[in-house]
Amino acid sequence: MSEQGASVRRLERSIRRRLDARAALDRVVRSLPAIVQIVVAATAAYLLARGLLGHEVPLVAVTVTIVSLGLARDATPRRVVETVIGMNIGIVVAALLVQVIGQGAWQIAVILALTLVVARGVSPSAPFAIAAGVQSMLVAVLPAPDGGVFARSLDGLIGGAVALIITALIPRFDLLRPRGEATALFSLIDQALVGLRDALRSGDGAAAELALTRSRRSQVLIDDWGRTLESARGVAAVSPWLRARRAPLAEEVRLLAVADLTTRHVRAIARRVDVLVRDGQPRPVLADLLDSAAEVVRLLGRSRDDEAARYAARAVAAGLAARCAPTAVDGVGDQVVVVLLRPLAFDVLVHLGTPPDEARALLPPL
């Protein structure tokens, strides 16, 4: 028995090592676009600072470039500019203070404190203040270069300019790769609606509770998708190589907006159904409506890449809207679910190109 246990533990360690190695390789591969961008930018900043300014040790130019770009996927022009401004604020504040109070232990404390105060006053971003503080310490601790302490300000400007130019000329194309946020989101909404349908058909409270839990997990996916889109659009806006991607990204923003509305509607419906099915009674009419809503979501998720799915989604959503009459069911609780389905159908129809007045006319009168 002990030999068997030892064998199992060895197998577990072997599997864990393989998984760790695979995760490490995947992490490196995903970071390669950022690594190439940073290496090119840092080298260019170093050469420019030495060639244009004659600085023998352009440390600040290199560090500003590296920190501004970073390995994170949110290296958009806006975030790069914010980081560059923060770092240059630290350099300028420290350079001014060094001229007045000199360098030393207590001077470091004063310079760092004042730099952080100024940076926090300029921006609410914590990384902005830290970037300023780090650069201020380079100025306060290192000996002044041949051109004086303000020479580092020029280095910082060169590093920032190079970072912005490289962001446009060598964009991180991994930002534009499908990351699965949209697919995962629509799959989760579909699962939640199918779970609600099953709960209504059988009066199963456990199925309704599970569907409600799934619907609540959608916000994380919405946020992830939004951050990815923000980064991709920021880079595409300044890169001459990515002009063709601007229209698809704008369309994806509109899809995200309707997906966000849809998830909000589904969460409201799930909360109501979770209460409704506690009596254990089947509700086949509501179940059929939820089944149609799930089909709308499935087709909507495919509409980004499939024109046929877009037309099919509009047809199914129109059919759902026409059936959302509160009089189709008995009881106030059941009628509330029908009323909550109406804005879901309306929002999808409008997103798919139906004029709002026409979409509204498809809904039965309340």
Side-chain angles (χ1 to χ4, degrees):
M1 193 70 178
S2 59
E3 290 183 5
Q4 185 178 5
S7 177
V8 169
R9 285 193 294 272
R10 282 195 298 272
L11 179 60
E12 288 176 347
R13 286 195 295 270
S14 175
I15 293 173
R16 192 178 300 114
R17 282 195 297 269
R18 291 178 185 176
L19 291 175
D20 290 344
R22 190 174 301 169
L25 179 61
D26 182 60
R27 189 165 58 246
V28 171
V29 171
R30 285 188 285 109
S31 298
L32 283 178
I35 291 171
V36 171
Q37 190 185 58
I38 291 171
V39 169
V40 172
T43 305
Y46 175 83
L47 294 174
L48 284 172
R50 281 180 65 96
L52 291 180
L53 303 178
H55 295 170
E56 290 298 320
V57 186
L59 176 64
V60 171
V62 175
T63 57
V64 166
T65 305
I66 295 171
V67 175
S68 298
L69 293 174
L71 287 172
R73 293 181 61 216
D74 62 351
T76 61
R78 177 181 175 182
R79 296 188 190 278
V80 170
V81 168
E82 289 176 351
T83 305
V84 168
I85 291 174
M87 298 178 79
N88 278 284
I89 284 177
I91 294 168
V92 172
V93 170
L96 289 172
L97 290 173
V98 165
Q99 292 292 99
V100 176
I101 63 177
Q103 294 176 297
W106 68 267
Q107 289 92 335
I108 286 176
V110 172
I111 291 170
L112 181 58
L114 289 178
T115 301
L116 292 175
V117 168
V118 171
R120 289 300 282 168
V122 171
S123 171
S125 170
F128 182 96
I130 295 301
V134 169
Q135 292 303 313
S136 72
M137 289 298 92
L138 289 178
V139 176
V141 173
L142 295 176
D146 293 339
V149 288
F150 288 104
R152 292 198 176 98
S153 299
L154 296 176
D155 278 356
L157 292 174
I158 284 181
V162 169
L164 286 172
I165 293 170
I166 294 299
T167 299
L169 296 182
I170 309 179
R172 296 181 183 179
F173 291 98
D174 62 322
L175 287 173
L176 305 177
R177 272 204 329 263
R179 287 292 184 167
E181 292 93 344
T183 302
L185 175 65
F186 283 109
S187 176
L188 183 65
I189 303 172
D190 178 26
Q191 292 172 22
L193 286 169
V194 169
L196 294 173
R197 176 204 65 191
D198 294 342
L200 288 165
R201 278 187 178 159
S202 59
D204 187 348
E209 186 177 357
L210 177 60
L212 176 59
T213 301
R214 284 174 171 162
S215 70
R216 285 171 173 164
R217 285 163 39 204
S218 60
Q219 192 58 49
V220 174
L221 296 174
I222 287 282
D223 294 340
D224 289 345
W225 187 7
R227 281 190 293 269
T228 299
L229 266 180
E230 180 187 2
S231 298
R233 293 190 75 200
V235 174
V238 299
S239 175
W241 325 122
L242 300 178
R243 291 182 183 273
R245 294 291 303 164
R246 294 173 190 174
L249 287 171
E251 179 60 31
E252 192 169 343
V253 169
R254 290 188 284 273
L255 180 61
L256 171 61
V258 74
D260 189 16
L261 290 172
T262 301
T263 58
R264 294 174 190 272
H265 298 321
V266 171
R267 285 198 294 267
I269 293 167
R271 286 193 293 269
R272 176 53 54 186
V273 171
D274 183 48
V275 174
L276 200 59
V277 298
R278 291 176 186 175
D279 61 4
Q281 297 299 315
R283 292 174 168 82
V285 175
L286 286 181
D288 288 343
L289 290 175
L290 267 294
D291 193 38
S292 295
E295 180 65 15
V296 168
V297 167
R298 280 192 291 272
L299 292 168
L300 183 63
R302 288 160 42 197
S303 66
R304 181 176 54 170
D305 305 313
D306 185 352
E307 191 68 19
R310 185 180 183 89
Y311 290 114
R314 187 159 55 188
V316 176
L320 174 63
R323 294 160 57 203
C324 285
T327 53
V329 293
D330 297 323
V332 175
D334 295 46
Q335 292 174 346
V336 168
V337 175
V338 176
V339 171
L340 290 174
L341 279 167
R342 291 164 66 96
L344 185 154
F346 176 83
D347 288 334
V348 171
L349 284 168
V350 171
H351 166 74
L352 295 173
T354 305
D357 290 342
E358 291 184 20
R360 198 172 289 110
L362 290 171
L363 294 166
L366 290 173

